[in-house]
């Protein structure tokens, strides 16, 4: 009698606190392609019993449009810093319960209090990286220092770039010495002819796996995510990564819980799991971006830490994107127009 009235409820309460999401539950994860190893998600399911339904996207625009259109009911998403900024402003994210994220302590101090979410109320850094140039040095003998060296007639149909309008326009803005986060009709008019010339030279637009065209030898040079460049470097040292002289975009992709999430407890559990050093190390092994988890970095090999695409030597100047409001749609339109006219 006593057991039922006092002990059992107490035990149940304890279980609920330490293990808020239970076996049989499901979690809907919407994340970047080529970023979260399936083995990591399987490990999470094995430990918690929570099944992860994983859908992927290749651009922040795709994530935003699906979320705003109410398509799918996602419990955990992975926007880039500047897109999280938009989502926080539009009240699309749920505040985090930091008490459920003890592994936040593993993050390096420079990845806390980022501009897009200064108090860390809504987002948790997942991976960071840069966008830069990869050159197949067996096929390209001319020196490549910046975007202007890539987008030349000599490389017509030998170039792969990200299928990401904001990136493409930003590279052109860097070359024109325009501020990348203050996009106006005038600045877009300035870069339009530059981008128009560039798109005629590009053979492949691919944000999912731009490394593939370089590995296959379909192209000789690319402007790609640093993690893709790091994989190429691991594959063959002939693939050199170059931070563009005119300006280098840096991103921090984060984990966040949509305001509409149905299973916020499980989402917190997965975030905390991904912050575990042993788990985060597995992510770095498969997708070698810059790991913001200081404790996980201690577990990486000297070779992993010496990959110049994952951890660029020196202290290069990097520039982060910010919310540019309605100009984002103008950029999309401009690139769509120019691509269809080529
Ligand atoms: N395959 C994972 C790519 C992640 C890139 N995210 C950064 C986007 C910045 N525009």
């Amino acid at each position: 009698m006593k057991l039922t009235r006092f002990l059992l409820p107490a035990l149940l309460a304890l279980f609920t606190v330490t293990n808020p999401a239970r076996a049989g539950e499901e979690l809907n994860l919407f994340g970047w392609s080529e970023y979260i190893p399936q083995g990591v998600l399987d490990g999470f399911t094995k430990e918690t019993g929570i099944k992860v339904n994983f859908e992927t996207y290749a651009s922040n625009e795709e994530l935003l449009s699906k979320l705003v259109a109410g398509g799918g009911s996602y419990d955990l998403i992975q926007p880039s810093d500047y897109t999280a900024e938009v989502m926080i402003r539009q009240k699309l994210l749920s505040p985090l319960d930091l008490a459920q994220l003890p592994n936040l302590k593993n993050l390096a101090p420079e990845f806390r209090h980022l501009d897009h979410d200064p108090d860390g109320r809504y987002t948790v850094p997942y991976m960071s990286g840069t966008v830069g140039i990869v050159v197949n040095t067996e096929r390209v003998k001319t020196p490549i220092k910046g975007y202007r060296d890539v987008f030349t007639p000599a490389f017509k149909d030998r170039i792969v770039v990200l299928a990401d309008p904001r990136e493409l326009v930003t590279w052109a803005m860097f070359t024109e010495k325009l501020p990348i986060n203050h996009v106006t009709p005038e600045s877009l008019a300035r870069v339009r002819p530059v981008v128009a010339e560039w798109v005629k030279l590009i053979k492949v637009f691919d944000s999912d796996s731009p490394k593939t065209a370089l590995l296959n030898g379909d192209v000789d040079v690319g402007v790609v995510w640093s993690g893709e460049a790091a994989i190429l470097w691991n594959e063959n040292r002939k693939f050199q990564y170059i931070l563009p002289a005119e300006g280098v975009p840096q991103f921090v992709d984060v984990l966040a819980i949509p305001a509409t999430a149905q299973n916020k407890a499980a989402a917190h559990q997965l975030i905390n799991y991904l912050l575990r050093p042993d788990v985060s190390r597995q992510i770095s092994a498969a997708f070698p971006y810059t790991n913001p988890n200081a404790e996980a970095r201690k577990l990486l090999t000297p070779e992993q830490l010496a990959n110049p695409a994952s951890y660029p030597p020196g202290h290069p100047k990097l520039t982060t994107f910010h919310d540019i409001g309605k100009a984002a749609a103008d950029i999309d339109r401009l690139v769509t127009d120019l691509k269809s006219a080529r």
Side-chain angles (χ1 to χ4, degrees), residues 287-332:
F287 300 111
Y289 285 85
T290 310
N291 196 326
N293 188 315
E295 294 306 308
R297 268 204 217 178
K298 290 182 188 160
L299 305 178
L300 302 186
T301 63
E303 201 191 1
Q304 282 175 302
L305 294 169
N307 188 315
S310 313
Y311 301 97
H315 297 283
K317 185 174 178 295
L318 310 173
T319 311
T320 47
F321 289 5
H322 285 285
D323 175 12
I324 50 170
K326 291 192 181 12
D330 299 336
I331 286 182
D332 284 352

Side-chain angles (χ1 to χ4, degrees), residues 64 73 116 124 129 146 166 169 203 206 235 255 278:
L64 250 182
S73 167
H116 69 276
V124 171
R166 176 85 188 262
V169 167
K203 182 170 185 188
D206 183 1
E235 198 69 35
L255 298 162
D278 59 318

Side-chain angles (χ1 to χ4, degrees), residues 12 15-16 19-26 48-51 263 266 269:
L12 268 175
F15 181 77
T16 317
N19 191 9
R22 286 182 290 270
E25 289 189 10
E26 298 197 4
T48 62
I50 301 165
K51 181 174 172 234
N263 199 347
Q269 269 194 280

Side-chain angles (χ1 to χ4, degrees), residues 31-36 57-61 78-83 126-131 162 164 166-167 207-211 225-228 249-253 287 289 321:
W32 285 90
S33 54
E34 302 284 304
Y35 221 17
I36 309 178
Y57 53 84
S59 73
N60 282 298
E61 291 67 30
Q78 199 180 33
S80 298
D81 38 13
Y82 62 101
T83 303
Y126 173 78
M127 284 288 157
S128 176
T130 54
V131 172
L162 302 168
D164 190 307
R166 176 85 188 262
E167 289 288 347
S207 286
D208 286 305
S209 181
K211 62 183 169 303
W225 314 123
S226 55
E228 292 278 304
Q250 179 193 32
F251 55 83
V252 181
D253 295 322
F287 300 111
Y289 285 85
F321 289 5

Side-chain angles (χ1 to χ4, degrees), residues 136-210:
N136 177 340
T137 54
E138 276 178 5
R139 296 222 190 138
V140 175
K141 298 296 177 192
T142 51
I144 304 288
K145 293 205 167 72
Y147 306 106
R148 282 199 187 282
D149 304 318
V150 171
F151 299 106
T152 67
F155 291 124
K156 184 169 166 48
D157 291 330
R158 296 168 66 194
I159 306 170
V160 58
V161 301
L162 302 168
D164 190 307
R166 176 85 188 262
E167 289 288 347
L168 187 60
V169 167
T170 295
W171 312 334
M173 291 203 152
F174 276 136
T175 65
E176 293 297 299
K177 297 192 169 38
L178 292 166
I180 67 159
N181 287 310
H182 181 64
V183 182
T184 61
E186 293 72 32
S187 60
L188 285 182
R190 277 269 301 277
V191 295
R192 192 181 177 98
V194 178
V195 180
E197 280 313 303
W198 288 7
V199 293
K200 289 183 200 148
L201 305 170
I202 296 163
K203 182 170 185 188
V204 182
F205 288 88
D206 183 1
S207 286
D208 286 305
S209 181

